[in-house]
Each structure stands twice: as structure tokens, then as C-alpha cells.
């Protein structure tokens, strides 16, 4: 039995109603990811539309991720205080307005503001969905529920790579982005009518808030747990290579550096998404059954990604062979599921009233790494005359930093989990029947 399975007493029963309510939250996250990643297939179109270079183009995604990362701890606190429904509602309104604004923006500056607004709303979705899962499903389902939520998020990415990419070249920029914003209105209606924060009989205890002192205490207590910090570094190290590839630089790299057509490049980006969805189910099942597999899976994914990334950019000649590009994209598909392992370290380390805050801290990791790499790649491309080999080498710096931190924190985290598990068993023995 894992520590997480005993750390949360009074587990909710789950069942069909839980799946239906949680499904609404997942639908919101699906739409948010669709909007978030829509720029990934429109990068070349955006460069032409706003007449910007690589650094300015990367600013779209950097600003979006900067807002997203900066919002994670505030959003975690909001979820702990206000509940899932209110936070998700605010998020939907913001990211829908951002997507619509991006469609109608006549200038680079207004388009930037729209992506920032989208990033702010997007930031409120995933942590809320994770919290919704812990309120409606038993703790032992946590790893699988988290991976399935991420899987549906990647399905949103699939919509971007297939549907939005084709719409762009069919109906044009404004119709594509404005039309997609309708999905935000649909999930807002579903959310308002049917979503509940928790099942009856499983109401959380009323939170005690004392202004800034409470906020500082929530953050400090979450950060003191080595599991929270390890979760952040796992998320930091595993997520960003695929995020950078899908969010912005994959399409230009495949088209400009590798000489592929947009259709072929789009197919390879789709492969990343499909592989992510398959691997997510596998990782979720493995971790649910074998908690000790978390660190090996995370480090194994990082090592394999680094190997394929290095082989691709260092391949002799001007272009890598198709088989290598296919292999790289398939391996990148494992990065998202591996990043979810970070939440499986933070979840058992924190009580229910700190789950939102702890999840926010963890979720910052990958997006800070993605934002940093997006900026580095853009700057290096401009400085080297579009040399992708040099620009893409920036990935290895962040991977080395993350691996060092994971190795430093893993033993302490495992020890704390064992201590918590023993204490829970002793408490269970002394509870009168």
C-alpha cells in the first residue's frame, strides 16, 4: 500500500457520478490546452501576420508561460480557499477572452496581451482538476486520475495539431481562433450547471484564513516537505522538452531545419501527442501499483529524451533521417506523463487543505523550465543565424540542473513517506472500533 492511500482518511466513494462531475472539469482543461497549444501550429503564420523575428515570436509563448507559472501558487491558494468551481469559472472566462482577443488582434502588442490573458485563465485549470479528483475519488486512484486528466489535456493538443492547423489554411486566422473560442462558452455553461466541488457527506472542514499570514504559512509548510520540492524538480526536468517542441519550436525546426512539409511536420507533432496519451495510461497504472517506480520512470524518461535529442541535432549532414525524427517525437511523448509523477510526490506529502498550494508549487517547475528554454532557443536562433543545433543544445543545461536536484532530494522524500506510513498505521491500530 502506498503512503498516499492511507494519508487521506474518509475517502470519497468515486463511481459514475464522480466520473461525470470530474469529466466536466477535465473538459475545461481539454479546452484550455487546445487554446494554449494553438500557437504551436500557428507559429509561422504568426511570424508573417505580425512581421516578427524568432525572438519576438518566442515572446508569445514566453509571456503566456510566465503568466501561467507566476499564477500557480496564487491559484493553488485560491483553490484551497474558494473551491474548484469558482476558480474554474474564472479561468474559463479569462482563457476564452484571451483566445477571442488573439483572433481579433490587429497588432503584435494586442496579441501579446491576449496570450497573457489566456495564460492567466489556463493557469487556473489543471490544479483545479487535480483538486476535483482528490475530492471525488479515493486516494489510491490519485496517480491514475492525474494521468488520465493529463491524457485528455493532450487530446486538446491533438485538436490543435490536426483541426486548428487545417483550419488555419482553410478559413484563415480570424475565423479559426474566433471559432475555437466557442468551445470556451460551451464548457462554461456545463461548469455552471453541473459541477460540484465535492460529493455530499465529504465536505472539507472550513478553512481558517488569516490574511497574508495564512498564505505565508500555507506556502512555507508545503515547501518544507521534501516531497513537494522533489515533485517540483521532477516536473521541471521532465516536461519542458516536449512543451518547447509542441508549443512553438517543433514546427519551425521540422520545416526550416529538416526540410519537411507542413503536413509531414504536423503528423510528427501529432505523434508526440498520441504517444503521450498511450504512455500516460501505462505510467499511471505502473505508479498506482508500484510506488517505488516513480524516480526510475522519471529519470529514465529524462535520459532517453536527452539521448534522442542529442542524436537528432548532432546527426551528420544537414538533416536527420525520418526514422530518427519519428523516434524523437515518440520519446518526447513520454515527457508529459513523466512530469505527472511530480504530483505523486507532493500528494502524499501534504494534507488535503494544502493540496492546491502544493500542486501549484509543483506545476511551476515544468513551465519555468519551458519558459526559460523558449527564450534561450529564440535568442540563440537570432544570434546564430537560425542554427538549430546550437539553439536546441540549451535543453541539456536545464536537464542537468534538474537531474542533480532529483538525486539530491529523492532519499529524503522516500524516508519521510515511510515515516508517515508507519505513523498512519500506528494511528489506525489505536483507533477504537
Amino acid at each position: 500500500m502506498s503512503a498516499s492511500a492511507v494519508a487521506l482518511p474518509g475517502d470519497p466513494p468515486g463511481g459514475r457520478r464522480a466520473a461525470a462531475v470530474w469529466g466536466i472539469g477535465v473538459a475545461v482543461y481539454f479546452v484550455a490546452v487546445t487554446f494554449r497549444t494553438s500557437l504551436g501550429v500557428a507559429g509561422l503564420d504568426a511570424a508573417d501576420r505580425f512581421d516578427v523575428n524568432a525572438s519576438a515570436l518566442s515572446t508569445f509563448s514566453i509571456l503566456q508561460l510566465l503568466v501561467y507559472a507566476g499564477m500557480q501558487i496564487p491559484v493553488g491558494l485560491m483553490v484551497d480557499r474558494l473551491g474548484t468551481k469558482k476558480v474554474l469559472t474564472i479561468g474559463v472566462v479569462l482563457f476564452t477572452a484571451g483566445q477571442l482577443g488573439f483572433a481579433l488582434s490587429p497588432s503584435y502588442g494586442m496579441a501579446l496581451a491576449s496570450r497573457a490573458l489566456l495564460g492567466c485563465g489556463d493557469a487556473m485549470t489543471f490544479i483545479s482538476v487535480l483538486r476535483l479528483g482528490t475530492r471525488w475519488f479515493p486516494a489510491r486512484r490519485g496517480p491514475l486520475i492525474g494521468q488520465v486528466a493529463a491524457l485528455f489535456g493532450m487530446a486538446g493538443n491533438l485538436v490543435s495539431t490536426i483541426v486548428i492547423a487545417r483550419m488555419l489554411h482553410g478559413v484563415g486566422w480570424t475565423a479559426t481562433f474566433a471559432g475555437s473560442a466557442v468551445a470556451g462558452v460551451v464548457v462554461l455553461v456545463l461548469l455552471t450547471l453541473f459541477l460540484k466541488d465535492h460529493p455530499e457527506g465529504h465536505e472539507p472542514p472550513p478553512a481558517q484564513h488569516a490574511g497574508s499570514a495564512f498564505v505565508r504559512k500555507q506556502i512555507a509548510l508545503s515547501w518544507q516537505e521534501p516531497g513537494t520540492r522533489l515533485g517540483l524538480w521532477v516536473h521541471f526536468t521532465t516536461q519542458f522538452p516536449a512543451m518547447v517542441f509542441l508549443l512553438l519550436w517543433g514546427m519551425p525546426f521540422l520545416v526550416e531545419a529538416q526540410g519537411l512539409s507542413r503536413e509531414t511536420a504536423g503528423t510528427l507533432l501529432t505523434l508526440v501527442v498520441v504517444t503521450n496519451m498511450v504512455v500516460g495510461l501505462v505510467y499511471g497504472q505502473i505508479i498506482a501499483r508500484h510506488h517505488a517506480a516513480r524516480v526510475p520512470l522519471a529519470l529514465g524518461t529524462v535520459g532517453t529524451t536527452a539521448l534522442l535529442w542529442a542524436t537528432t541535432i548532432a546527426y551528420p549532414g544537414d538533416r536527420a533521417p525520418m526514422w530518427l525524427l519519428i523516434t524523437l517525437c515518440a520519446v518526447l511523448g513520454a515527457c508529459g506523463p513523466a512530469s505527472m509523477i511530480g504530483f505523486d510526490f507532493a500528494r502524499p506529502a501534504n494534507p488535503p487543505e494544502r493540496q492546491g498550494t502544493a500542486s501549484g508549487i509543483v506545476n511551476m517547475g515544468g513551465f519555468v523550465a519551458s519558459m526559460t528554454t523558449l527564450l534561450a532557443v529564440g535568442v540563440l536562433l537570432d544570434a546564430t543565424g537560425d542554427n538549430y543545433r546550437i539553439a536546441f543544445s540549451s535543453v541539456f543545461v536545464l536537464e542537468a540542473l534538474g537531474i542533480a536536484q532529483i538525486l539530491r532530494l529523492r532519499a529524503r522524500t522516500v524516508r519521510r513517506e515511510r515515516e508517515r506510513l508507519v505513523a498512519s498505521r500506528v494511528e489506525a491500530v489505536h483507533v477504537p472500533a
Side-chain angles (χ1 to χ4, degrees):
M1 183 182 295
S2 69
S4 61
V6 298
L8 303 177
D11 274 350
R16 292 183 179 179
R17 184 157 187 263
V21 173
W22 178 74
I24 296 171
V26 170
V28 173
Y29 179 55
F30 168 86
V31 174
V33 173
T34 302
F35 291 0
R36 178 202 305 170
T37 57
S38 58
L39 182 61
V41 296
L44 297 175
D45 299 86
D48 292 337
R49 179 179 177 87
F50 300 111
D51 191 24
V52 294
N53 61 14
S55 296
L57 181 61
S58 66
T59 303
F60 277 123
S61 296
I62 292 166
L63 178 61
Q64 183 179 331
L65 293 184
L66 177 64
V67 173
Y68 187 106
M71 286 290 294
Q72 289 310 293
I73 292 178
V75 168
L77 292 164
M78 287 172 64
V79 171
D80 287 337
R81 180 173 183 175
L82 301 178
T84 301
K85 184 170 184 175
K86 291 180 180 178
V87 176
L88 276 179
T89 301
I90 297 170
V92 173
V93 171
L94 292 178
F95 70 61
T96 302
Q99 186 77 342
L100 182 60
F102 194 58
L104 303 176
S105 293
S107 66
Y108 176 69
M110 289 188 67
L112 275 179
S114 296
R115 296 307 288 186
L117 188 64
L118 192 156
C120 185
D122 182 19
M124 299 183 180
T125 59
F126 189 62
I127 294 176
S128 298
V129 172
L130 288 179
R131 174 61 173 262
L132 198 64
T134 63
R135 289 299 187 194
W136 281 90
F137 292 95
R140 67 181 181 277
R141 300 291 186 189
L144 183 58
I145 289 298
Q147 291 287 359
V148 171
L151 183 152
F152 280 98
M154 289 309 295
N157 203 326
L158 197 61
V159 171
S160 292
T161 58
I162 296 177
V163 179
I164 290 183
R166 293 181 179 177
M167 288 178 64
L168 272 171
H169 301 288
V171 300
W173 178 281
T174 301
T176 296
F177 285 101
S180 65
V182 174
V185 178
V186 173
V187 294
L188 179 61
V189 172
L190 292 175
L191 167 65
T192 303
L193 294 178
F194 301 112
L195 192 134
K196 303 288 185 182
D197 280 347
H198 48 74
E200 295 180 6
H202 292 271
E203 294 81 1
Q208 298 179 356
H209 304 290
S212 61
F214 170 79
V215 171
R216 290 194 298 269
K217 182 179 179 181
Q218 284 285 90
I219 296 172
L221 290 175
S222 297
W223 184 255
Q224 285 173 10
E225 291 292 342
T228 304
R229 283 175 280 141
L230 178 59
L232 179 145
W233 285 108
V234 167
H235 200 269
F236 177 100
T237 314
T238 53
Q239 187 200 49
F240 79 95
M243 179 69 72
V244 167
F245 203 78
L246 287 171
L247 200 59
L248 185 60
W249 291 122
M251 179 70 78
F253 169 72
L254 294 171
V255 174
E256 296 177 350
Q258 300 302 315
L260 303 181
S261 66
R262 288 193 179 209
E263 291 73 19
T264 303
T267 301
L268 288 177
L269 294 180
T270 302
L271 175 62
V272 178
V273 178
V274 172
T275 306
N276 183 299
M277 297 169 71
V278 173
V279 174
L281 290 176
V282 175
Y283 277 20
Q285 293 285 357
I286 292 174
I287 295 170
R289 291 176 169 82
H290 308 286
H291 232 43
R294 291 171 298 172
V295 170
L297 279 178
L299 292 179
T301 302
V302 172
T304 306
T305 302
L307 176 62
L308 267 297
W309 195 277
T311 304
T312 301
I313 64 176
Y315 195 86
D318 293 334
R319 297 171 183 174
M322 181 58 72
W323 66 263
L324 182 55
L325 295 175
I326 291 173
T327 306
L328 171 66
C329 290
V331 170
L332 286 174
C335 291
S339 71
M340 292 298 301
I341 297 172
F343 298 100
D344 294 320
F345 286 108
R347 187 183 299 110
N350 293 273
E353 62 270 17
R354 287 207 312 267
Q355 289 293 316
T357 305
S359 295
I361 293 172
V362 171
N363 211 29
M364 284 181 61
F367 289 95
V368 169
S370 298
M371 177 179 59
T372 303
T373 309
L374 284 167
L375 175 61
V377 170
V379 170
L380 289 172
L381 283 174
D382 285 338
T384 60
D386 292 338
N387 188 322
Y388 278 91
R389 291 186 175 183
I390 295 176
F392 273 25
S393 295
S394 58
V395 166
F396 304 120
V397 177
L398 275 72
E399 285 188 326
L401 172 63
I403 290 172
Q405 295 298 323
I406 291 171
L407 295 176
R408 182 178 70 87
L409 289 165
R410 62 175 180 172
R412 198 181 316 171
T413 299
V414 171
R415 184 168 59 251
R416 286 277 289 170
E417 287 184 350
R418 288 174 179 169
E419 292 172 354
R420 188 176 291 106
L421 179 59
V422 170
S424 298
R425 287 175 173 171
V426 170
E427 182 180 352
V429 168
H430 289 87
V431 171

